[in-house]
Amino acid sequence: MYDFRPADGTPKPDLYRDLLAAADALTADEADGVANMANIAALMWEFLPDVNWTGFYRTDPNSPDGELVLGPFAGRPACIRIPKGKGVCGAAAESAETQLVPDVHAFPGHIACDSETASELVVPVMRDDKVIAVIDLDSPSRARFDEQDRDGIEALAQMLASRI
Ligand code: SME
């Protein structure tokens, strides 16, 4: 068993530096994308305070409309399929841009998988100019995520592009 849990109160730049190093160590030599997504979902859950869901939705390769389908995650069971353009994840997939949402209740079309979720950060994972997956982080606190979280998770998404 690996123990990656950082000390309470670790500053975000240090937290993301260590998260990226741990993610690199866990995924660099493993070719199976599901195994890598599973470990990264668990790693984000361990590293990031004040979150209630950390995980992946993948672009379903069998969906003609680019529907998202649930991937490996930590947290409560979640919505399985999300149409492109719907909710925060669907908006990230459609626009290929990070969605930093301080108040999900103010986000048009938000999909409430868990009524406790108050804020979200969703980052697309790009390969060959296509969104192959999104990383979804949810929190029960409003405005939990900021630019430092966005930068950290975008760096993680870039690292994972060829590993999931
Ligand atoms: N709330 C998300 C759906 C996924 S769950 O949060 C795990 C959304 O609106 O995209």
Side-chain angles (χ1 to χ4, degrees), residues 31-145:
D32 190 285
V34 173
N36 286 339
M37 285 188 277
N39 257 340
I40 299 305
L43 199 62
M44 294 190 294
W45 182 262
E46 289 255 295
F47 260 80
L48 301 175
D50 196 21
V51 293
N52 62 342
W53 204 89
T54 60
F56 293 83
Y57 280 86
R58 293 171 300 122
T59 303
D60 182 352
N62 298 314
S63 161
D65 309 321
E67 195 172 50
L68 295 171
V69 62
L70 184 63
F73 68 93
R76 286 185 166 162
C79 318
I80 299 168
R81 290 188 174 269
I82 299 179
K84 199 172 187 174
K86 293 279 188 262
V88 185
C89 292
E94 187 170 56
S95 64
E97 280 175 11
T98 293
Q99 305 291 310
L100 181 54
V101 181
D103 177 3
V104 293
H105 302 295
F107 190 93
H110 166 247
I111 300 165
C113 294
D114 182 344
S115 60
E116 282 186 14
T117 296
S119 61
E120 293 196 22
L121 173 64
V122 181
V123 174
V125 182
M126 309 291 299
R127 188 161 68 214
D128 300 332
D129 293 328
K130 292 199 186 77
V131 178
I132 57 164
V134 299
I135 299 175
D136 181 11
L137 303 182
D138 297 352
S139 170
S141 300
R142 279 172 75 149
R144 154 67 181 81
F145 305 104

